[in-house]
Amino acid sequence: MTDDEYNAPLIEVYHAAMRAMNAGKAKYPDPTWRDVSVIDHFAALQRHLEMWIRSPSDDKADATTGLSHLDHAAARLAFLLVMEKENIDGAVGPEA
């Protein structure tokens, strides 16, 4: 695989997360994602994945934002990754 083949999915995940984060920023102007518990971020991640997989193929969009549920899932996963790295709300990753 070329670097482009590896980078393309990463770039798409970045853009997906940013779309959802920008939609969230419009709804919640203050950066409040750190105030949300790990459990609540994880539940939202699961909910968006569940809604995406169970939605008809022509309707994968979140009703509130019009974005794909995968965009929202990418944002929630990004929040969880930061929370794990910074050990926020007890989010601790695997031992090194």
Side-chain angles (χ1 to χ4, degrees):
M1 280 185 131
T2 67
D3 285 347
D4 286 345
E5 289 174 303
Y6 279 107
N7 292 337
L10 297 175
I11 292 167
E12 186 53 40
V13 169
Y14 168 79
H15 286 290
M18 288 306 301
R19 285 189 294 268
M21 288 179 191
N22 285 329
K25 189 167 51 172
K27 187 174 180 180
Y28 307 102
D30 295 325
T32 59
W33 65 267
R34 289 176 187 268
D35 299 330
V36 176
S37 72
V38 168
I39 295 298
D40 288 344
H41 278 302
F42 185 76
L45 169 63
Q46 287 184 301
R47 187 171 54 253
H48 281 291
L49 290 173
E50 184 75 18
M51 292 174 80
W52 182 82
I53 199 71
R54 294 192 180 275
S55 296
S57 61
D58 62 341
D59 184 25
K60 300 287 187 184
D62 178 80
T64 304
T65 64
L67 297 173
S68 170
H69 286 291
L70 292 181
D71 290 356
H72 290 282
R76 294 297 182 149
L77 181 58
F79 296 149
L80 288 169
L81 287 166
V82 171
M83 293 175 90
E84 178 184 60
K85 182 178 180 185
E86 297 179 2
N87 193 25
I88 296 172
D89 192 31
V92 179
E95 297 294 325

